[in-house]
Structure formats: C-alpha cells, structure tokens
C-alpha cells in the first residue's frame, strides 16, 4: 500500500491544509516519507458530523453484524503482512518480534470483542414484570444498555498497534456500537494510515455507513482539543502522559455538556520484595525484575518504577545482583526524541534529589534517542517526604525504597498515589505480611500480582488495566480486556413500551438468547 | 425521640459551633424547634477520618452482615412510627399520605439493596484460568468489584425520606461497602436527625465500626464543599438543582485526586401527545397529565414540564381540557421559601418570553409559599430558537409546544438537552410515528414510557433514574433501583494470588455461590 499522508474522513482520503509533519526513525534520526498533512477544526467537524449521521444506523446493527465487522478488521490487519511491521519498526524502533506479537494481540483484541458482542452480556438486559394488582400498580419495566454515541480515540505512542488506530479503545467502542474518530499519534502516522485504511475498507465491505470510522491527523494539540470539544463526541479514550490526559479531561469538563474521558495516564507500579522471597531467590528476582524494567526500553504503563523491601542481608544480596544486571544492560532506543528528552530530564531531576543515590546505571548509548537504564535507591523516610520521587519517569528507571520493617512498608504503601499494578514477591513464609499488604494494595491499584512482573497485560475477561487516579481518570473502568466495552454504554429503561417497539434484547421470548435478569433472577429462559 | 439539634459524628452527637438554623414550616412560615447547630471543616474532618478508619473493617463484612445492617435500618425507620411522618410533614408541607408512602419506599429501598448485596452479582466475579502451556503462558486471573471508599451523600429537599439521610444514595453506598457521611438538607433537619439516629443505632447494634455513618449539618454551602473536597471521600451522591450539582462537580474536579459526582439535577421530561391518542382520549390525557403536573406541587425531578403535540382539532380539544383542569387547581405549598421564590422567578421569566402565552393558571394561593400551577404555550419554531424555555422551572409549570408536523416534532426532540424521562401517549394508529420517535428519545433520556405519566419512579431492577447531561452528571448510571450500587464499586484484578489470600468472591469452589464468569462462560458451578 502506498502511503499518501492523508487523513481518512469517512469514505474519503483528505489532504490536510495545516501543519505538515513526518515520522522520524528514532534509531537513526532520519525522517520517513511521506509528508503528512495536518487537519483543522473543519476536518474534525466533518468527521464528527459523519459519525453522528452514522450512529443510529450503526447502533442498530445486529450483534452478529458488528462482530463480523470487528473480525474483518482483524483479518485486514493480518493481511497487511510484513509491510505493517516494517513501517511500525521504522517509526518506533520497537523490535520486529515485539511488533509481531503486538499485531497478534491487536487482532486478538478485536476477536475478543467480537465474542463479547455476540455473547451480549454487555446489554445487561433486565426485565421487571408488571404487577397490575399491586397498590400502586407496577408497570412493565425493561432495561438494556445502549452505546453512548461517537467516541474520540487518541492513539498511544508506546503501542503503535494495540493501543492506537485499531487498538483496545477503538475495538471496545466499535463493539459497543459507537462510531470512532481517531486522532492519530504523530509519532507513527504511517502505521496509522495503514491500519486506518484497513478499517475504512472494512466499513465499506460490511455495508456500514462511512461515518463509523474516521482518522484525523495533526502534529500539535489543536486538532485533538477540537475533537474532544466537538458536541457530537460523547466519550474519549486516551493512553499517554498525565499532562496530556488531564488536558483532555479539562477540555471535556468545560464543554457545555461534559463527557467522560477514559485516560490511562501515570503509574510507577510498586514491586514488594518480601523477606522470605528475597532470601530464597533474591538473585533470580533481581535478574527477572531488571528484564521487566528494560523491556521495551521501559516504555510500558506497567513498568516497575518502584521497589520496596525491608533492610537486611537478603536485600543487600538483591541490590548487588540488581545493580550488576542493570549495569550490564545496553542503552535502548526510545520511541521518539520527545520521550527520550523527557526521560533524560526525569532521570536528571531524580539524580538531583537529596538522599537518593544511583548505585546502578546501564551502558551508555551509541545512537540517537538512547536511554540508559537507571537504578536509584533511597530510604522510606526520604521517599515519604519528597513527592518528586513519586512521579513516573517514563522509561527504564526505578527507585528502590528501603524500609526498616513491615510497618514502614505499609506506611509507604498508604501514601502512594493510585497505580495500575502492584506486584508482590512472596514465599510461603511471607504470607502473614502479604495478608496485611493485600487490603492496602486493593485500595491503590487495579491489579495485584504475585510472584511475577507487572509488564505484560493479558487481554481477557478478568483483566483490569485501570486503577485509582492518577493511574487513570476513571477508576471504575479498565482499558484492556472484555470489560472495556462498559465504558461506552449507558442504560435505558423502557416502561410499558408496546411489544412491537421493544428492542430485541428485552423482547418477550428472548430472541437474542441472552442471559437476562427477570424479576431479579438471572436466566436464559 | 427528643431532637437535640446535634450532628452525629460516628457514635457521638456533636453540637456544631458555627451558624445556627431552624426548620421552617412552609405552610405557616413558623420556625420549628429545636435550633440546629452547624458544623465546620473540623467536624467534616472528624467524620471523614472515622469513615476512613471504618472502611477496611466495613468492606470486609460478609454480604449477609451488610444485608442485615440495611434491614435493621429499615426496621428502625418503621419503628419511629408517626413521629417521623409528623416531623417530615411539619418541615416540608408534604401530605401525610405521601410521606407514609415515601417511608414505605425508603424501607423498601433498603430491603432491595439487602437483596442485591446477598445476591452478589454486584461483585461481578470473573475468573480466567491459567494457561501454562500457552506461549506466552497465561497467568491465573480473577476479578471482583470492591467498594470505592467513603461516600458523601447530600440529602435532597423534595424527598425528605427516600432521597435524604437513609435514601437511595445512602442505601446503595452502604450496600456496596462504603461508609457514608451525609450532609443533611437544612430544610428538614429534624427528619434528618431522627433518621440519622436510627442509622447510628443500627451501626452499633450490628457491631460495626462507628465511622460507617456520620451526618454533618450546616445552613450554608461551606460544609458541603469541605465534605466533597476532603481527601478521604471517594464519590458523591447528590439530588438537587443544576447549579448545586455543578458546584459540587467543580469542587470534585479540582481536587488533587478528582472523584466522581453522581448528581441528579435537571429535567423537563417531555411528553409526546401523538395524534391518534389525542383524538381518542385527549380529555382523559389532559386530566391525568394535569394531575401529574401538580402532584407534590410539581416538586418531582420527573415532573412533566414540556408537552409536544401536532396542531389540529384534537390538540385544540386537549388544550381546552388541560387549561380548564389547570385553572381549577388550587395553589399548593412548596417545600421551602427558597424553592417557592425560585418557582415564582422561573414563571415570571417564562411569562416575559415573547411568543409564549399562558392560557392556563391555577387558583391563587391563600398561605405562604404557595405556587399556582402554570400552563404555557408556544410554537416549535419559537421553542427551538429560545433556550430560556428549555430550562427546568422546578414546580407545577409546563410548556405546550405545538408542532406543524411529525418532522417538526422530531426536530424539537433533537435539540433537547438530556432528560430523565420521555413519555409518549400513543394509540395503535400512532405506531409508525412512535417508531421514528423512539430512537431519538433513547439518545436523550434514561427512561422512555408509554401511555403513562413520568412522575412515580419504581424502585426495581430495571429502573433507570438517570440520563444524559444535564439530567445527571454521569449518564452511565442510575440513582434509583438496584443498579445504583454500581456507582460505588470499582474492579480489582488478582493475578496468581495464592489461594489462601484470595477474596471469597473469586475463590475456587465458589463459596459464596455467586454467578461468576469463568473463562467467558456464566455459571454457578
């Protein structure tokens, strides 16, 4: 496919008239053809008006039609073959194997949501029978979820496939029945165009109205702001920085009609190294933890940026092994010059903090945009007192916080901000401590994991990739996994509505064969 | 029970040191003993710290313990007997029979949530089995909902029992496992103290930590603002004006950690009078609609404030009957002098709108705070052009909008703000029009009802008392009915957590006998 540098607005390709930009190969610093042409508020308006025009038709599609649409997007992405992976590699410097895996995850996500749509539990169909003899009589009441309306999705830089144009936000919004307008991430515009054209074709092939999907582009913040502010848009999906996410939340809150923003933003993902685990397998933990730290050059929302342990010989051995492992790690190329500069700035700011040492540092880089892994250490008292250490440094940087005892470990936990994950390394002898820790962690995070590492997020039914602020802007939700569809739904109740007008999900006879709640009892009858 | 005018902070009664205030009998203008003593930020902090201290213990109670607690509050409210109804009557001028009914609804709500807690579907227990042979291996993943933390509830003036101290917000938050700090509505402080003492006693009788419930008081906005701003509070329930709700939303958004506010605010509840229904039974509709309009002196969130119909002889007959019915209606005493003044102001503002006539007006009042029902009329063109007619006038006021044809009816619908309800009066011959109308209404409202009247909200499983902004601040939720519990929950995922540490809801063997989703299949095995 020849890239054109155009936006995709409904069925057409539109050359923007504003700022132009090109992708940069972060490994070489070279710009990549073609030139992309940024759009303006009029382009956003066109995309949004088409989305609005498409909404009622799209939401009236059957679950089967919507599932097939999602599957055809997955097939289209796979059919792009090596071209997609090569382009994403050139634009992001992420390894080929990682991008192949991410492509598989992206297609798998689309197919999971096809299954979710067919299953129909998302409709939450609920029926209360009329009680005409009661005083006062109870009317016939039926409830189902419907899609909220057109959704704006912001592509994330660190998952150019799985959380970008056809990523989790898009898949769950389309599954819910919401048209999607994507703001492409300017760091991988070519990847975005490739995937966008796949969706555009799938819309046409499935006989759907063109406004079901559009993609707008721009290097600055103006076009994204215009998108969130557009009255047609009813919800926003975003993965990125705390600053970026909160800027969108502000725009959304200041609309005449405020809308929800699902922003997955900032997390330092504490890892608890409990004493028995550290004594039994401290060196193995050190090795695996450093692998998790540097994986993808630390550019994961779930990167382990905070380690907590209790002082003692086992911690000393762990520290030595971790420092040795970090020191042997090569620098890695980050996604963009901007992300690399922010990482260097973050590391420099941490280095200037009094009472924070840097016992470990990876090898110096040899090319542009390379980040050296950094391993810092401080005490619990200093960590609690200095909030500069609580902020995420996006990249391969972590801070070991040494605690005098279990109570100190718990005290640090209680002052943490909200997190996506917390990890506990615990052996059988640590169980009493872990039992005290778990309730504290439940209150701080979306996912608690034992004896593993936080990087790697399964796409499944039970996954929660969310958590209290500032991990996300909406702690009640997840952006990964089947429940992500719930973000784009709202309930409607039908009271004494004539049978001929009732939506299929709540009709007598249960024509969609859904699990439904009837008079408080769940069943499929 | 002798009222003391104190706040209830945990297990103690605390005399506030700030502004004092008394309830006013709106029917007579007399102040009612005792004097209530408003609290300050230190009182709020005490209540919130107790709530925080109680949270982990309270959320660890079994569903059965929590259900029993809710039931004992219901029993305690019933045991107050006539004293409660008489006090509420004196403070609100609402009729005795209505308050008896509201007491029944309040106890019924508490018992519904006891059933919801026992049933356990609120936990949304979800399990994905480990797949150790897969590449990469899938970990064991389990998900459940947990309560968000302490919740602030604002008592509503128009439901002194069902949406006040022990109302729907409190019941659903307590059911979820959240401690509650109530800000009592200053219009019915005596009713609030009576019910608050019932809950305080139920907390003690059930062996729960005292911080599970507190009630703070104050005549101004300072104490409510301090409550929403307090870092311990994790969500807010509110029913009241758009101005009041949005002020709390602003406070919540500006916190270092923003929190959700569930504000049920403003709705004019359009009623569609379709041609065949109007021709067949226009006079009966006029009579019943006017009853709905003046019920409770129009002080319902679901009051029919907007009527839409197509010009013609049937509409002329309806108008004549409605005007006659309104003109025969007596003025009614409103809840507070402030609400009465706002109603008079709203009616005066409408009366000044060019092109709006007032063909019907109820009888003049004879006492203080009495509102005369008002029936206005305008054309679709003028209504669309003038947003002053779109705002809620809280009380017995309605605007009939005449439309030339069905397309005009739909055009008016499309420019409406979000609403709690829409009502359609339709006979068999109206079905084609109704079928066009229904999708437009789904996008605007939380509940669509046919051939009834919007006042009267059933407390059941399928009810949605919510809707797009400005009907509520969060369109994904309901404040009435079983689903209201979802507002106070958030999901947590447990990855490879040792069996001994897993919460009961997601343990192997399903000890709580919950409906659970296991590897995508719903079951109870």
């Amino acid at each position: 496919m020849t890239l054109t540098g155009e936006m995709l607005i409904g069925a057409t390709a539109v050359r923007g008239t504003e700022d132009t930009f090109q992708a940069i190969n972060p490994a070489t610093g070279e710009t990549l053809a073609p030139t992309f042409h940024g759009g303006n508020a009029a382009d956003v308006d066109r995309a949004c008006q088409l989305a609005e025009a498409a909404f009622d038709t799209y939401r009236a599609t059957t679950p089967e039609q919507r599932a097939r649409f999602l599957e055809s997007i997955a097939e289209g992405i796979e059919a792009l073959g090596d071209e997609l992976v090569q382009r994403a590699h050139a634009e992001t410097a992420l390894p080929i194997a990682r991008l192949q895996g991410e492509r598989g995850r992206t297609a798998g996500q689309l197919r999971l949501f096809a299954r979710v749509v067919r299953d129909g539990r998302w409709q939450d169909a609920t029926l209360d029978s009329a009680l005409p003899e009661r005083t006062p009589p109870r009317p016939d009441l039926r409830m189902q979820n419907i899609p909220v309306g057109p959704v704006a999705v912001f592509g994330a830089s660190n998952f150019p496939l799985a959380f970008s144009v056809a990523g989790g936000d898009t898949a769950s919004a389309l599954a819910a029945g919401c048209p999607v307008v994507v703001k492409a991430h300017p760091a991988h515009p070519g990847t975005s165009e490739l995937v966008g054209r796949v969706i555009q074709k799938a819309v046409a092939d499935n006989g759907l109205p063109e406004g079901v999907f559009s993609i707008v582009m721009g290097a600055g913040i103006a076009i994204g702001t215009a998108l969130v502010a557009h009255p047609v848009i009813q919800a926003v999906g975003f993965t990125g920085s705390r600053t970026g996410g909160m800027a969108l939340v502000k725009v959304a809150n200041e609309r005449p009609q405020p809308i929800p923003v699902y922003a997955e933003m900032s997390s330092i993902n504490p890892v608890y190294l409990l004493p028995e685990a550290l004594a039994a397998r401290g060196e193995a933990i050190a090795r695996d933890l450093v692998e998790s730290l540097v994986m993808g050059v630390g550019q994961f929302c779930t990167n382990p940026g905070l380690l907590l342990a209790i002082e003692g010989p086992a911690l000393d051995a762990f520290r030595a092994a971790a420092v040795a492992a970090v020191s042997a790690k090569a620098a890695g190329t980050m996604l963009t010059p901007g992300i690399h500069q922010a990482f260097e700035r973050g590391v420099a700011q941490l280095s200037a903090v009094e009472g924070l040492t840097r016992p470990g540092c990876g090898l110096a880089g040899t090319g542009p945009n390379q980040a050296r892994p950094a391993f810092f250490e401080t005490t619990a008292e200093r960590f609690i007192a200095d909030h500069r250490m609580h902020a995420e440094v996006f990249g391969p940087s972590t801070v070991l916080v040494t605690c005098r005892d279990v109570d100190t470990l718990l005290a640090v936990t209680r002052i943490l901000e909200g997190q996506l994950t917390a990890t506990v390394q615990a052996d059988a002898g640590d169980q009493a401590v872990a039992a005290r820790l778990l309730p504290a962690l439940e209150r701080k995070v979306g996912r608690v994991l034992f004896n593993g590492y936080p990087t790697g997020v399964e796409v499944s039914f039970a996954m929660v990739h969310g958590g209290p602020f500032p991990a996300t802007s909406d702690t009640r939700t997840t952006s990964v996994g089947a429940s992500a569809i719930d973000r784009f739904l709202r309930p409607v109740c039908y009271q004494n509505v004539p049978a001929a007008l009732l939506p299929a999900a709540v009709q007598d006879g249960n024509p969609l064969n859904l699990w439904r709640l009837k008079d408080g009892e769940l069943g499929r009858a």
Side-chain angles (χ1 to χ4, degrees), chain A:
Chain A
M1 196 185 293
T2 308
L3 296 174
T4 65
E6 292 167 301
M7 300 181 288
L8 306 174
I9 298 187
T12 45
V14 175
R15 172 149 302 203
T17 56
E18 307 299 318
D19 52 333
T20 60
F21 62 101
Q22 288 179 262
I24 294 167
N25 184 328
T28 64
E30 293 170 340
T31 54
L32 299 167
T35 297
F36 284 80
H37 296 260
N40 56 26
D43 298 307
V44 167
D45 184 57
R46 199 131 34 109
C48 289
Q49 296 301 349
L50 284 174
E52 169 66 23
F55 179 43
D56 275 329
T57 305
Y58 184 55
R59 74 187 180 98
T61 52
T62 63
E64 182 56 31
Q65 288 172 312
R66 224 135 78 220
R68 275 299 307 141
F69 171 49
L70 293 168
E71 287 164 347
S72 64
I73 298 171
E75 291 153 16
I77 289 170
E78 289 165 340
L80 285 173
D82 208 38
E83 182 183 6
L84 178 66
V85 171
Q86 290 299 339
R87 177 75 195 191
H89 174 63
E91 290 185 329
T92 65
L94 292 171
I96 295 290
R98 142 75 194 268
L99 289 165
Q100 286 167 335
E102 190 180 329
R103 179 179 56 190
R105 174 177 159 177
T106 305
Q109 263 174 182
L110 288 156
R111 294 195 171 101
L112 174 68
F113 283 109
R115 178 174 170 188
V116 167
V117 173
R118 285 195 181 96
D119 173 79
R121 284 179 310 104
W122 60 273
Q123 292 186 277
D124 206 9
T126 304
L127 294 82
D128 294 326
S129 304
L131 298 174
E133 312 297 328
R134 202 193 63 175
T135 311
R138 183 168 84 177
D140 179 279
L141 294 163
R142 302 171 192 234
M143 192 265 276
Q144 70 163 350
N145 283 327
I146 70 168
V148 292
V151 169
V153 170
F154 285 75
S157 62
N158 63 336
F159 279 91
L161 301 174
F163 261 79
S164 190
V165 175
D169 288 334
T170 298
S172 54
L174 291 177
C178 299
V180 168
V181 180
V182 169
K183 155 69 171 66
H185 198 289
H188 55 266
T191 306
S192 298
E193 185 184 333
L194 286 170
V195 174
R197 288 187 182 273
V198 164
I199 304 181
Q200 192 183 49
K201 180 167 184 302
V203 170
D205 289 350
N206 284 271
L208 298 171
E210 57 171 330
V212 166
F213 176 79
S214 291
I215 179 165
V216 295
M217 298 204 173
I221 63 166
I223 200 157
T225 302
L227 181 58
V228 174
H230 197 286
V232 155
I233 297 298
Q234 294 301 305
V236 179
F238 169 89
T239 295
S241 71
R242 182 168 178 171
T243 308
M246 291 311 290
L248 296 185
V249 168
K250 187 163 186 290
V251 173
N253 285 342
E254 287 172 356
R255 289 165 47 116
Q257 176 221 5
I259 54 171
V261 173
Y262 302 105
E264 191 269 84
M265 298 184 291
S266 167
S267 183
I268 55 175
N269 303 296
V271 177
Y272 293 81
L273 307 166
L274 298 192
E276 297 286 329
L278 223 42
R281 49 193 173 86
E283 289 189 25
I285 292 172
R287 187 190 61 225
D288 295 343
L289 197 50
V290 170
E291 289 303 321
S292 175
L293 176 69
V294 303
M295 185 194 288
V297 201
Q299 300 166 117
F300 289 109
C301 318
T302 53
N303 193 58
L306 179 65
L307 315 177
L308 293 147
I310 295 168
E311 292 164 10
L315 176 56
D316 295 337
F318 165 84
R319 180 194 295 108
V323 166
V326 166
S327 304
K329 283 292 171 195
T333 306
M334 298 195 84
L335 290 158
T336 71
I339 288 174
H340 176 243
Q341 286 153 19
F343 175 75
E344 295 296 340
R345 207 162 46 235
V347 168
Q349 278 166 357
L350 274 184
S351 302
V353 169
E354 197 190 345
L356 187 76
T357 60
R358 179 160 62 168
C361 184
L363 304 172
T366 54
N369 305 311
Q370 291 199 338
R372 300 169 71 175
F375 183 96
F376 293 95
E377 179 170 342
T378 192
T379 63
E381 290 68 26
R382 286 186 185 273
F383 181 82
I384 289 172
D386 193 332
H387 280 252
R388 286 175 293 177
M389 290 184 266
H390 302 197
E392 181 183 32
V393 176
F394 190 71
S397 168
T398 195
V399 178
L400 170 64
V401 174
T402 59
C403 303
R404 217 168 328 132
D405 49 27
V406 172
D407 286 340
T408 308
L409 198 72
L410 287 165
V412 173
T413 303
R414 278 191 290 268
I415 60 101
L416 289 179
E417 291 188 303
Q419 308 288 340
L420 293 169
T421 70
T423 300
V424 183
Q425 291 288 345
D427 278 4
D430 295 313
Q431 196 129 308
V433 177
R436 289 180 66 194
L437 195 51
L438 188 57
L441 295 181
E442 283 176 322
R443 297 192 55 184
K444 293 289 180 184
V445 312
R447 176 165 58 112
V448 182
L449 59 143
F450 272 63
N451 298 325
Y453 299 92
T455 44
V457 180
E458 185 69 30
V459 181
S460 68
F461 293 94
M463 176 50 63
V464 178
H465 189 65
F469 184 89
T472 73
S473 56
D474 191 328
T475 184
R476 298 157 294 178
T477 62
T478 175
S479 62
V480 175
S483 305
I485 193 174
D486 298 339
R487 299 176 297 168
F488 303 115
L489 298 168
R490 47 173 280 261
V492 175
C493 174
Y494 304 81
Q495 177 174 326
N496 286 342
V497 170
L501 297 176
L502 280 172
V506 293
Q507 284 172 7
D508 288 343
N510 195 9
L512 299 182
N513 191 31
L514 299 174
W515 283 100
R516 308 200 295 189
L517 194 73
K518 177 122 195 248
D519 296 320
E521 296 297 328
L522 201 58
R524 235 168 176 167

